[in-house]
Amino acid sequence: MKNIRNFIIDKTVKPWTKIKSIWSDILKQRLKSFLKFKLSLKVLVIGLIIVSLIGGAVFYIKILKDLPNPNLLRDYKVTPLSTHIYDRNGRLLYEVYRDENRTPVRLQDLPEYVKQATIAIEDKDFYKHNGVSPIGGILRAVKEIVLKQELQGGSTITQQLIKTSLLTPERTIERKIKEIILALWAERIYSKDEILQMYLNQIPYGGSAYGIEEASQLYFEKGAKELSLTEAALLAGLPKAPSLYSPYNDIKLAKIRRDTVLKAMYEQGYISWSKYQESIKEEVKVKPARIKIKAPHFVFYVRQKLEEMYGKDMVEEGGLRVYTSLDLQIQEEAEMIVKEEIEKVKELNVTNAAVLVTRPSTGEILAMVGSVDFFATPSGSYNVTTALRQPGSSIKPLNYAVGIETKTVTPASVFIDAPTCFIASGQPKAYCPVNYDGQFHGPTALRFALANSYNIPAVKMLALNGVEEFIASASAFGIDTFKDPSRYGLSLTLGGGEVRMTDMAEAYGVFANQGIRKDLIAILTVKDKLGKTIYEYKDPNFQLNVRENLQPPKYLAIEGKRVVSKETAYLISHILLDNNARSQAFGFNSDLVVSGKAVSVKTGTTNNLRDNWTIGYTPNFLTAVWVGNNDNSPMKGIASGLTGASSIWNRVISYVLEDQEDLWTPQPDGITGAEICILSGLRPNPDNRCQIRFEYFIKGTEPTATENLKRVVPVNRDTDQLTKPDDPAVEMREKLIIEDPFGLYCLDCNNQNLPVTTVNVDKLKPRQNESSGSES
């Protein structure tokens, strides 16, 4: 530009010559730029062609090369590879889908609601789209990929037919693209009714039943043309997750799924509101299962876990070899014991029982008996070990553990077991707990209150801990069913909430594991169809043969979240194995005693006698037992965990421990012992003799105050009972007084027909441990 400027200024050159020269320079520069652009454009075009060719080749190789023809759908035949599930020693438990039973039916022969139920729950726009739902389906699939890194969801009925009939079960982008292409292609070949008919004849409904006709025969022993509305709705809900929603696995969940289908039918105008209301009131009734299977409740539990890990298609057709934690020898012994013991107590209206055996240090499930008879009607397939039931007093150790962990109490802390009512803001009426035996036991140390399962001390303990704090702590133990603290009151410590047996096993496992929570596991190894190991559970405490004598666990190697200290876990375990401490309620020779073995154990029975538990453990093994009725009807004559669950528990854990050494929980360095007065839990006073006993404490919490029970207190001269200072008949007298955070108890007063003490929970002050208490 500078040269051009100088050229224009130069007056020796003629104007016309200047113009020609300037335009010549400009054209040369433009020509150079154009040639450069043309070259760049050529390179870009060639690059795009090369990329397109490569992309096209990849698309052809990956997608189109082996793309099956949808015309094959009419003559679809499949030879899936069955998945085998074994116990820990390689004994076959179950073969998933060894055979496929199909009996085709014509769409026009089926009741309208069979078709409507399937369309309502699986693909409500089936008759509107062309094989793929671009708005609902594809966007949902993209969301799953982006948010969850999972390729699933968003499939129309046509896509599901293609996926189950013509494609492999892996979850990949390539397979999803093939699925979409083939779905669009199939819709050009077949009518909607033809596609729906093929779908209903080929989709898996659980077990070996493929197609609506076989499913109808399996679950109801009738043809599909005879299905009722509710039966059709049940079957329509199965293909999404046959194991999860199977009535042979969880009849309650099967009903929830069925009702979801019925609701979708109502919302889409297939049935009226009155018909919907009438239908959801019907119970689910199916015929007994007709499958060859060992440990059936456990197998379906494992299968559900496998489907969560690998997807339903891979489990059904992928040829997996699954080695589980179950010991079939222990399982079969537990099954036999359950049947024999329930037969003995059937006159007490006890019809069902469940057993869970685990290794706390590894989390392995060694046995799972979900009901007395899986094949019994109407709900033998109901797995009580994973169902919600009230735990009764078996929840109490967690409550006391919270108090010990926070140093609110010690095993020597005294609770006054006397008539007490609790009031709190938002509580409509006072809560007045009573003990199982209908008696009041006066001043009772924590050790004896827990061991004998007294209710009033447990409620007082929860009042000190706080319901909200206890629910948070229970969650750390593995109890995740206590959700909203506002829904619960102090009855929670007596079993007022619902829990799963599997969660209770994890919670008690915390005590066995010196305070570490270990989640339960059921799968040890998974191998694919080529024998390649694709999953393997590893644990330093794992030992394949659990029938031979096991050494104590390597506690430092237990991986998991610490819930309570070693010291708290030790104190709870010690209290629960103290047969002397529980003798007042259970005697010295109950089913809670395992001959020659130290076993920590706790019972639980709900107030309405609908649930009866016994849970006990050693360092290496844990056994939980429940008895009751699936219909929640009350039992008769069940005594605080005895009679029902405890007899099963004793026989099962005795069998498990048969060849094991007697192992005691090792005492942590942070535990110390001291002699204390039996009545007060305080140190003996040299000047005032007391009956003494030995107790364990977390170091630093042992009592420093000495016992001096004599106090001048107001007493009613007519009743010889404690009274208020403004009582007209009051006299100040020296009495022997025991105190807890809720009131006083006079040892040498008239304690017959004591008046009820009312406690305002909102005004409770945090409890001060006795170790820093003043002398009295």
Side-chain angles (χ1 to χ4, degrees):
M1 291 299 294
K2 185 177 180 181
N3 292 334
I4 293 174
R5 192 183 303 114
N6 293 336
F7 181 73
I8 293 173
I9 296 173
D10 190 352
K11 295 181 179 179
T12 61
V13 182
K14 293 181 179 180
W16 177 246
T17 304
K18 289 182 181 181
I19 293 170
K20 286 172 62 180
S21 178
I22 291 170
W23 274 108
S24 176
D25 288 345
I26 291 173
L27 288 171
K28 286 178 182 180
Q29 291 176 11
R30 291 293 175 88
L31 181 61
K32 287 180 181 179
S33 298
F34 176 75
L35 291 174
K36 286 181 180 179
F37 171 75
K38 190 174 181 182
L39 180 62
S40 300
L41 186 62
K42 284 183 178 179
V43 171
L44 178 62
V45 170
I46 292 170
L48 289 173
I49 292 172
I50 292 171
V51 170
S52 298
L53 289 173
I54 294 173
V58 171
F59 185 78
Y60 173 76
I61 294 170
K62 290 276 191 180
I63 307 296
L64 299 179
K65 183 181 177 183
D66 299 315
L67 196 68
N69 191 324
N71 283 296
L72 298 173
L73 283 172
R74 280 199 180 95
D75 302 315
Y76 168 67
K77 296 287 188 298
V78 67
T79 53
L81 297 172
S82 58
T83 289
H84 292 70
I85 299 177
Y86 302 92
D87 87 332
R88 67 192 300 115
N89 299 307
R91 297 176 65 182
L92 182 64
L93 301 176
Y94 184 55
E95 190 171 354
V96 183
Y97 303 148
R98 180 176 181 177
D99 301 307
E100 289 188 16
N101 298 323
R102 281 191 176 85
T103 304
V105 291
R106 297 186 306 170
L107 195 65
Q108 59 264 37
D109 294 335
L110 296 173
E112 276 299 307
Y113 45 72
V114 171
K115 298 177 284 185
Q116 294 166 350
T118 295
I119 291 171
I121 197 64
E122 290 292 344
D123 187 359
K124 66 179 181 178
D125 297 321
F126 174 68
Y127 282 103
K128 299 177 183 177
H129 60 65
N130 60 353
V132 177
S133 177
I135 298 177
I138 293 178
L139 289 181
R140 280 198 304 272
V142 169
K143 183 189 75 171
E144 293 293 326
I145 295 171
V146 173
L147 298 181
K148 299 182 180 179
Q149 289 75 53
E150 294 180 358
L151 192 62
Q152 60 183 12
S155 293
T156 64
I157 283 177
T158 312
Q159 287 175 266
Q160 292 180 55
L161 175 63
I162 293 293
K163 180 173 64 176
T164 58
S165 303
L166 301 179
L167 298 177
T168 54
E170 77 272 12
R171 297 177 180 179
T172 62
I173 296 289
E174 291 88 348
R175 198 221 65 192
K176 194 69 178 178
I177 295 173
K178 288 181 180 180
E179 179 186 302
I180 292 171
I181 293 172
L182 289 172
L184 295 170
W185 188 356
E187 292 259 351
R188 302 292 296 273
I189 299 172
Y190 304 105
S191 69
K192 287 288 186 179
D193 284 350
E194 286 177 313
I195 290 172
L196 183 58
Q197 178 174 295
M198 287 186 287
Y199 174 89
L200 290 171
N201 280 322
Q202 295 186 18
I203 205 73
Y205 285 89
S208 59
Y210 280 67
I212 190 76
E213 178 67 18
E214 283 297 327
S216 183
Q217 292 291 345
L218 174 65
Y219 295 110
F220 306 113
E221 293 184 358
K222 64 169 71 172
K225 64 177 65 176
E226 302 173 54
L227 288 170
S228 68
L229 170 62
T230 54
E231 290 168 344
L234 176 72
L235 296 185
L238 291 178
K240 181 178 180 181
S243 295
L244 180 64
Y245 297 124
S246 170
Y248 294 145
N249 184 26
D250 189 335
I251 202 162
K252 288 186 177 179
L253 194 57
K255 185 180 186 302
I256 291 172
R257 177 65 174 169
R258 184 205 67 181
D259 293 350
T260 300
V261 175
L262 290 167
K263 185 178 182 182
M265 294 181 73
Y266 161 69
E267 291 173 342
Q268 294 169 41
Y270 293 123
I271 59 175
S272 65
W273 172 254
S274 61
K275 191 64 177 177
Y276 166 64
Q277 288 294 314
E278 175 189 336
S279 299
I280 61 175
K281 292 176 183 177
E282 285 189 29
E283 294 298 319
V284 171
K285 296 179 181 179
V286 294
K287 298 297 182 180
R290 299 171 296 175
I291 51 178
K292 294 180 179 179
I293 187 172
K294 295 177 179 177
H297 296 100
F298 176 76
V299 163
F300 282 109
Y301 176 83
V302 167
R303 180 171 171 172
Q304 186 174 329
K305 298 292 182 185
L306 288 170
E307 289 183 359
E308 291 170 2
M309 294 167 68
Y310 303 110
K312 175 172 65 74
D313 295 336
M314 180 62 76
V315 175
E316 293 176 358
E317 302 175 10
L320 302 176
R321 294 294 182 269
V322 183
Y323 296 87
T324 68
S325 60
L326 187 107
D327 186 291
L328 189 56
Q329 190 174 350
I330 297 175
Q331 173 74 22
E332 291 178 339
E333 183 73 15
E335 290 174 354
M336 181 193 71
I337 291 170
V338 164
K339 288 181 179 179
E340 291 178 354
E341 292 297 325
I342 289 299
E343 182 65 24
K344 295 176 184 178
V345 293
K346 63 181 182 180
E347 71 278 1
L348 300 178
N349 193 37
V350 182
T351 61
N352 201 15
V355 175
L356 190 66
V357 181
T358 70
R359 280 205 69 204
S361 60
T362 61
E364 296 166 271
I365 296 174
L366 303 180
M368 175 185 280
V369 183
S371 287
V372 174
D373 184 358
F374 178 84
F375 301 101
T377 53
S379 55
S381 59
Y382 183 50
N383 189 349
V384 181
T385 69
T386 58
L388 293 175
R389 306 294 308 196
Q390 289 194 343
S393 294
S394 64
I395 201 72
K396 288 176 182 174
L398 279 64
N399 180 27
Y400 285 110
V402 174
I404 293 174
E405 180 71 7
T406 57
K407 296 183 171 58
T408 303
V409 292
T410 73
S413 296
V414 172
F415 294 92
I416 296 173
D417 184 9
T420 309
C421 289
F422 299 84
I423 59 173
S425 57
Q427 186 175 298
K429 61 180 181 179
Y431 175 55
C432 306
V434 294
N435 290 315
Y436 194 90
D437 60 4
Q439 304 296 313
F440 300 103
H441 307 94
T444 307
L446 185 153
R447 173 177 290 273
F448 299 96
L450 173 56
N452 290 290
S453 201
Y454 296 150
N455 289 339
I456 295 168
V459 174
K460 288 185 172 183
M461 183 73 262
L462 183 55
L464 292 174
N465 287 330
V467 172
E468 192 167 339
E469 173 65 24
F470 175 64
I471 288 177
S473 299
S475 176
F477 274 94
I479 307 296
D480 61 5
T481 49
F482 301 158
K483 299 294 185 184
D484 181 5
S486 65
R487 293 181 55 236
Y488 301 100
L490 296 178
S491 64
L492 187 60
T493 190
L494 307 185
E498 290 185 321
V499 299
R500 301 180 188 90
M501 182 182 286
T502 48
D503 293 344
M504 290 295 281
E506 288 182 4
Y508 273 66
V510 169
F511 302 131
N513 291 338
Q514 292 193 340
I516 301 293
R517 174 184 159 189
K518 192 78 173 177
D519 292 342
L520 296 187
I521 67 104
I523 300 170
L524 299 180
T525 307
V526 179
K527 296 183 179 182
D528 66 13
K529 61 185 178 182
L530 301 177
K532 179 184 176 183
T533 299
I534 57 177
Y535 171 82
E536 185 174 10
Y537 178 76
K538 294 183 178 180
D539 191 283
N541 283 303
F542 174 76
Q543 185 164 324
L544 182 62
N545 186 357
V546 294
R547 299 295 297 145
E548 67 181 19
N549 183 48
L550 302 185
Q551 296 302 307
K554 302 169 185 174
Y555 290 102
L556 294 177
I558 298 177
E559 298 177 353
K561 180 182 178 181
R562 177 164 292 283
V563 179
V564 294
S565 65
K566 294 179 183 179
E567 292 75 19
T568 296
Y570 174 82
L571 292 175
I572 293 294
S573 294
H574 194 274
I575 292 170
L576 296 183
L577 65 76
D578 189 345
N579 194 46
N580 289 324
R582 64 173 169 250
S583 61
Q584 188 169 350
F586 299 98
F588 288 98
N589 298 303
S590 70
D591 281 331
L592 305 184
V593 179
V594 179
S595 180
K597 300 293 192 296
V599 184
S600 301
V601 58
K602 183 72 186 72
T603 65
T605 304
T606 53
N607 288 336
N608 50 28
L609 299 183
R610 290 188 170 96
D611 301 274
N612 180 225
W613 297 72
T614 304
I615 308 174
Y617 59 91
T618 68
N620 275 326
F621 298 98
L622 179 147
T623 298
V625 176
W626 169 92
V627 301
N629 299 299
N630 286 355
D631 63 2
N632 274 331
S633 61
M635 298 169 283
K636 302 173 184 176
I638 298 296
S640 190
L642 298 176
T643 310
S646 64
S647 56
I648 297 174
W649 175 85
N650 184 283
R651 288 185 62 185
V652 172
I653 201 164
S654 294
Y655 176 79
V656 172
L657 299 176
E658 194 172 47
D659 298 319
Q660 304 293 327
E661 292 181 13
D662 183 23
L663 295 181
W664 288 65
T665 301
Q667 180 176 320
D669 293 336
I671 291 290
T672 188
E675 288 187 339
I676 60 171
C677 294
I678 290 177
L679 287 174
S680 66
L682 300 177
R683 289 279 193 176
N685 188 331
D687 299 327
N688 297 286
R689 292 185 179 181
C690 68
Q691 287 185 304
I692 63 172
R693 68 178 183 88
F694 185 84
E695 185 56 270
Y696 291 101
F697 299 89
I698 298 175
K699 285 183 179 177
T701 67
E702 59 269 32
T704 56
T706 57
E707 179 180 279
N708 184 2
L709 303 181
K710 293 180 180 180
R711 291 171 63 174
V712 176
V713 292
V715 176
N716 184 293
R717 60 173 173 263
D718 299 323
T719 63
D720 192 32
Q721 292 180 340
L722 293 178
T723 189
K724 296 180 179 179
D726 57 356
D727 185 344
V730 68
E731 287 184 355
M732 300 304 292
R733 298 178 183 175
E734 185 178 75
K735 292 287 186 178
L736 301 178
I737 300 297
I738 297 287
E739 182 176 8
D740 73 3
F742 304 88
L744 307 179
Y745 185 88
C746 178
L747 293 172
D748 53 350
C749 290
N750 171 23
N751 290 310
Q752 299 297 315
N753 301 316
L754 287 174
V756 174
T757 299
T758 300
V759 175
N760 188 333
V761 178
D762 298 330
K763 295 181 179 180
L764 281 178
K765 296 179 180 179
R767 178 164 181 164
Q768 186 179 34
N769 189 273
E770 288 93 335
S771 61
S772 58
S774 60
E775 294 188 15
S776 58

